[in-house]
């Protein structure tokens, strides 16, 4: 019979029960392989299944941007940089474009930063348009499909809609020139204008080496029931408090700031990574966008992710069984969060922890340097490989045009 956590027990007693029950996983004695097709997909090897041609662009589109502002290498949008570096030395790269299955354009649209380290969404569309104009005028491959056999990494908050505020992102829509391409993006939400069919949803970048240096001994007990560090309100951009995170973060704070089972704060302590490894549940609420690096951090540190983001499309959903490793809480149900989490049977918690302890699960969420088998780079390639072969209908007749190069906001049409 399932053992549910008794909600009315004092917090100290409840935590003590959990510490005893989860000791087998805390000591690293038990992991569990993902069964069925998801496990097979997670362990796929893309080498030999596809070939990618990497366009050589002027360095103003990539390397010079990083040289100008090295913060691009460590922020959560950095997947576009490391994907480029990975492909340059990857076994799936081909120097012969005639034999390529896919074409990749290395353009760093999130590397033009404000003084506070945020990407400037106003320049990103112009940078992307300029790069596409360059490849279409120097090679014949874009023009024969208008991008249908090309993929682009667009790790902005709302992908190729290129804005951090959802309302404005929806108004903009996906950059018209990218509407036939495959988009590799962190943003994922069902039935959303900023997620086109066929996109590959990836995890945001979290620094693997930094995380590795903060690992605690495997026998460290998980003495924190629920953990979260981050903003609850964004008073600078949302002074009235109802727009940011659709009110979900504010609800977490107002309902549980005094609850002893919830270790939540706006402070970001130097022991943040260690604290996640001492926690049973880690809250992963939406912010301006549905996704955040907390999802990666929770999986890597074995903390059960509590996903509060309605209709989110999660990274590599065909390979990672999110329903089995995480807990989904509707945004409207946040006030019942304590009841929901304390009602989960102990055996369910233990199984989620065993699955999270699987090294292949953690590896799939990371962009390590150098790359390693099964990591996020390889999961992206697996996703591209599963889209092959291209349907013959993607190839256009000579002179045929589908995309409108003059469509979009006037500001996007300015030269870059």
């Amino acid at each position: 019979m399932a053992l549910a956590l008794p909600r009315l027990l004092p917090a100290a007693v409840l935590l003590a029960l959990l510490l005893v029950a989860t000791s087998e996983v805390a000591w690293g004695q038990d992991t569990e392989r993902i069964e069925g097709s998801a496990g097979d997909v997670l362990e796929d090897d893309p080498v030999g299944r596809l070939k990618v041609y990497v366009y050589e662009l002027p360095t103003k589109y990539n390397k010079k941007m990083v040289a100008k502002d090295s913060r691009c290498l460590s922020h959560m949008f950095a997947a576009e940089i490391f994907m480029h570096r990975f492909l340059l030395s990857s076994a799936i790269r081909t120097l012969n474009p005639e034999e390529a299955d896919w074409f990749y354009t290395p353009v760093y649209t999130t590397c033009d930063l404000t003084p506070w380290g945020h990407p400037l969404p106003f320049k990103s569309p112009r940078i992307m348009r300029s790069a596409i104009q360059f490849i279409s005028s120097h090679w014949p491959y874009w023009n024969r499909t208008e991008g249908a056999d090309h993929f682009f990494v667009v790790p902005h908050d709302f992908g190729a809609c290129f804005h951090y505020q959802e309302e404005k992102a929806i108004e903009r829509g996906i950059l018209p020139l990218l509407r036939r391409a495959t988009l590799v993006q962190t943003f994922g939400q069902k039935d959303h204008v900023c997620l086109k069919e066929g996109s590959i949803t990836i995890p945001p970048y979290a620094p693997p080496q930094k995380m590795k240096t903060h690992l605690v001994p495997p026998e460290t007990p998980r003495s924190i029931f629920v953990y979260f560090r981050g903003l609850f309100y964004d008073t600078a951009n949302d002074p009235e408090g109802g727009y940011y995170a659709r009110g979900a973060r504010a609800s977490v704070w107002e309902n549980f700031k005094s609850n002893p089972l919830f270790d939540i704060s706006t402070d970001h302590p130097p022991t943040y990574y260690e604290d996640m490894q001492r926690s049973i549940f880690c809250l992963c609420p939406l912010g301006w966008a549905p996704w955040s690096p907390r999802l990666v951090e929770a999986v890597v540190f074995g903390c059960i992710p509590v996903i509060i983001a309605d209709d989110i499309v999660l990274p590599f959903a065909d390979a990672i069984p999110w329903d089995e490793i995480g807990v989904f809480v509707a945004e409207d149900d946040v006030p019942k969060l304590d009841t929901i989490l304390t009602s989960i049977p102990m055996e369910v918690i233990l199984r989620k922890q065993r699955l999270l302890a699987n090294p292949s699960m953690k590896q799939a969420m990371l962009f390590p340097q150098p790359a390693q088998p099964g990591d996020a780079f390889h999961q992206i390639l697996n996703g591209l490989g599963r889209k092959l072969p291209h349907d013959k209908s993607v190839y256009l007749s000579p002179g045929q045009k589908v995309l409108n190069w003059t469509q979009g906001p006037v500001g996007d049409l300015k030269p870059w």
Side-chain angles (χ1 to χ4, degrees), residues 313-344:
V313 175
L314 290 159
F316 308 134
D318 55 351
I320 296 177
W322 290 103
D323 287 339
E324 296 183 50
I325 65 172
V327 176
F328 289 81
V329 176
E331 293 165 26
D332 287 344
D333 289 340
V334 167
K336 299 183 286 187
L337 196 53
D338 56 343
T339 303
I340 292 169
L341 296 181
T342 56
S343 298
I344 298 175

Side-chain angles (χ1 to χ4, degrees), residues 298-375:
V299 171
V300 170
F301 292 135
C303 185
I304 298 170
V306 180
I307 300 159
I308 308 170
D310 294 352
D311 297 322
I312 188 172
V313 175
L314 290 159
F316 308 134
D318 55 351
I320 296 177
W322 290 103
D323 287 339
E324 296 183 50
I325 65 172
V327 176
F328 289 81
V329 176
E331 293 165 26
D332 287 344
D333 289 340
V334 167
K336 299 183 286 187
L337 196 53
D338 56 343
T339 303
I340 292 169
L341 296 181
T342 56
S343 298
I344 298 175
M346 194 82 74
E347 62 193 44
V348 173
I349 291 176
L350 292 173
R351 182 166 189 270
K352 290 180 186 295
Q353 290 180 328
R354 288 196 300 270
L355 285 169
L356 285 167
N358 187 328
S360 63
M361 191 87 68
K362 306 175 190 296
Q363 189 80 306
M365 297 293 285
L366 294 173
F367 295 90
Q369 301 87 50
Q372 299 171 18
D375 61 18

Side-chain angles (χ1 to χ4, degrees), residues 159-190:
C161 288
F162 294 124
H163 209 286
Y164 65 92
Q165 291 184 341
E166 184 173 20
E167 192 175 78
K168 293 180 179 178
I170 291 173
E171 182 182 329
R172 290 185 52 83
I174 291 172
L175 187 73
L177 293 186
L178 292 177
R179 289 178 183 171
R180 285 174 60 83
T182 289
L183 303 181
V184 177
Q185 58 186 64
T186 45
F187 172 74
Q189 184 171 315
K190 297 173 186 175

Side-chain angles (χ1 to χ4, degrees), residues 80-101:
E80 63 183 358
I81 299 172
F82 292 110
M83 189 67 190
H84 180 202
R85 294 183 177 183
F86 161 73
L87 287 171
L88 290 176
S89 58
S90 171
I92 59 90
R93 182 189 182 191
T94 178
L95 300 179
N96 178 7
E98 292 296 332
E99 66 177 18
D101 300 297

